[in-house]
Structure formats: structure tokens, C-alpha cells
């Protein structure tokens, strides 16, 4: 055992185990679809026992929600201090386009998980909690970076609109890339910043 190995914190092994289980579940979901993947499949693919899963996740739902939160995290652009609302919206378009290649890999699992969620009340309740927390954090962040009165809507509404716009644009881009070029993203976000005449 090297000195570096001895110094490695115990939590590091737990993080590596979680990451390996999540990666195995990702791969299997891409291959078989969300509904067909069992915890036994995940453990086998990761080269671990089912006990390793239960030592890191309470159940199948928690494993897949952890993957969703990691692989489909909210897009948060870098905003220069003093940016105008149109500049903030342009930054959102840029950040969404930059995230698109990684999100494309996660999209089939995301859609499969969303379909599962629609049919399971307990999962939908948990997704609602996670989404509400995300919206609250996003609205607070937007309120901090925007000038008062700059946005056409309250931050609590704007964060939901941005989320829906982003997801819709991304999924349509993934299905029909030639019909949803970069210009569509920039135009959609610019429309949020347009003032009524």
C-alpha cells in the first residue's frame, strides 16, 4: 500500500462506488431502457453486489433520481456583472447550446425516466420536490443577477419558462437537428427579452 493510498479518505471509496454504480445504470438504461433495468443488472455490470447498491442508495428510484440530477442538472450560464436582461438571455442560449452534446447522451434515459415518472405517483411526488427546490434556487439566482424591472416576468415565473423552453428546444433539436439550428435557440431566448411595443 502506497503512502498516497493510505492517505486517501474513506469517503473517496464511497464516492467511487456510487459513481461506478451510476455509470453502470446509465449504460444499461441506454442499452435496455429504464423500465427493463433491475438493481441486480446494475450490480452485475458494476462488478459489485446488490449490497453495494443499498449501501449507497435506498432503492432503485433513488439511484435513478441521482443519475437524473447529475446528468440533467440545471443549465446555469456564466453572467458578467452588470449584464442587461437581453445579454442574460443570450448567455442562456449559449450555455444551452454548449450543454447540448452531453445532454444528448443523457436524453434517452431522461425521456424514459420521465415516462416512468408520469405513471408512478410516488416518483412524481419526489420529482416535484426536487424540481421545486431547483426552481426556488434558480429564481433566487435570477433575482440576484437581474436589475429590478428588467424582466418581463417575476423570477419565480421566469425560471419555469426558461426550464420549459430549454427542455423543449433540446429535445426537438435531438430529434430533428436540421429543423432546430442554433439560430432558433438565440431567437427563442431573445424573444423573452423583447419588450412589447
Amino acid at each position: 500500500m502506497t503512502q498516497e493510498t493510505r492517505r486517501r479518505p474513506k469517503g473517496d471509496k464511497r464516492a467511487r462506488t456510487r459513481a461506478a454504480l451510476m455509470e453502470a445504470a446509465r449504460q444499461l438504461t441506454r442499452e435496455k431502457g429504464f423500465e427493463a433495468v433491475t438493481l441486480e443488472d446494475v450490480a452485475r455490470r458494476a462488478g459489485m453486489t446488490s449490497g453495494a447498491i443499498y449501501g449507497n442508495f435506498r432503492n432503485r428510484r433513488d439511484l435513478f433520481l441521482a443519475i437524473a440530477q447529475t446528468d440533467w442538472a440545471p443549465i446555469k450560464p456564466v453572467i458578467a456583472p452588470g449584464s442587461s436582461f437581453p445579454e442574460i438571455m443570450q448567455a442562456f442560449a449559449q450555455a444551452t447550446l454548449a450543454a447540448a452534446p452531453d445532454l444528448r447522451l443523457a436524453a434517452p434515459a431522461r425521456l424514459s425516466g420521465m415516462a416512468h415518472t408520469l405513471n408512478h405517483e410516488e416518483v412524481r411526488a419526489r420529482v416535484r420536490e426536487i424540481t421545486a427546490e431547483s426552481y426556488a434556487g434558480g429564481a433566487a439566482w435570477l433575482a440576484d443577477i437581474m436589475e429590478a424591472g428588467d424582466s418581463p416576468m417575476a423570477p419565480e415565473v421566469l425560471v419555469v419558462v426558461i426550464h420549459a423552453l430549454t427542455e423543449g428546444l433540446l429535445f426537438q433539436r435531438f430529434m430533428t437537428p436540421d429543423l432546430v439550428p442554433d439560430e432558433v435557440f438565440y431567437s427563442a431566448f431573445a424573444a423573452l427579452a423583447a419588450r412589447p411595443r
Side-chain angles (χ1 to χ4, degrees):
M1 185 182 282
T2 67
Q3 198 170 23
E4 182 181 317
T5 305
R6 281 193 300 266
R7 288 187 193 149
R8 188 177 290 162
K10 289 181 183 176
D12 190 39
K13 181 179 182 196
R14 182 177 175 88
R16 288 193 316 273
T17 299
R18 267 181 79 88
L21 291 167
M22 289 170 66
E23 182 55 31
R26 271 187 204 96
Q27 291 171 7
L28 287 164
T29 301
R30 288 177 191 151
E31 293 167 18
K32 299 168 63 170
F34 176 81
E35 293 287 348
V37 177
T38 67
L39 290 180
E40 291 74 24
D41 293 335
V42 173
R44 194 174 313 111
R45 174 66 61 94
M48 299 179 193
T49 65
S50 294
I53 293 176
Y54 292 110
N56 287 275
F57 303 97
R58 283 183 296 193
N59 51 38
R60 182 177 185 272
R61 180 193 72 192
D62 284 354
L63 168 61
F64 283 98
L65 284 174
I67 293 169
Q69 289 178 279
T70 302
D71 291 359
W72 205 273
I75 296 169
K76 191 172 177 182
V78 175
I79 307 295
S83 293
S84 67
F85 189 66
E87 291 168 335
I88 292 169
M89 291 299 99
Q90 182 176 14
F92 265 104
Q94 289 170 334
T96 302
L97 287 165
D102 288 338
L103 293 176
R104 172 61 184 93
L105 296 174
R110 171 79 170 174
L111 288 171
S112 181
M114 289 170 74
H116 176 80
T117 299
L118 287 173
N119 293 317
H120 295 86
E121 184 60 39
E122 72 284 355
V123 179
R124 197 162 56 246
R126 181 66 184 121
V127 167
R128 190 218 173 275
E129 289 173 15
I130 293 167
T131 304
E133 288 174 21
S134 179
Y135 283 170
W141 178 73
L142 285 169
D144 283 345
I145 63 168
M146 292 187 310
E147 294 290 325
D150 205 10
S151 169
M153 60 195 84
E156 295 78 15
V157 175
L158 181 60
V159 72
V160 178
V161 170
I162 289 172
H163 177 232
L165 178 64
T166 300
E167 293 230 338
L169 288 170
L170 285 168
F171 285 127
Q172 198 59 48
R173 168 81 163 243
F174 300 152
M175 289 186 293
T176 57
D178 58 315
L179 299 178
V180 190
D182 292 2
E183 177 187 332
V184 172
F185 284 75
Y186 285 108
S187 295
F189 280 97
L192 288 179
R195 292 285 182 198
R197 296 180 186 197

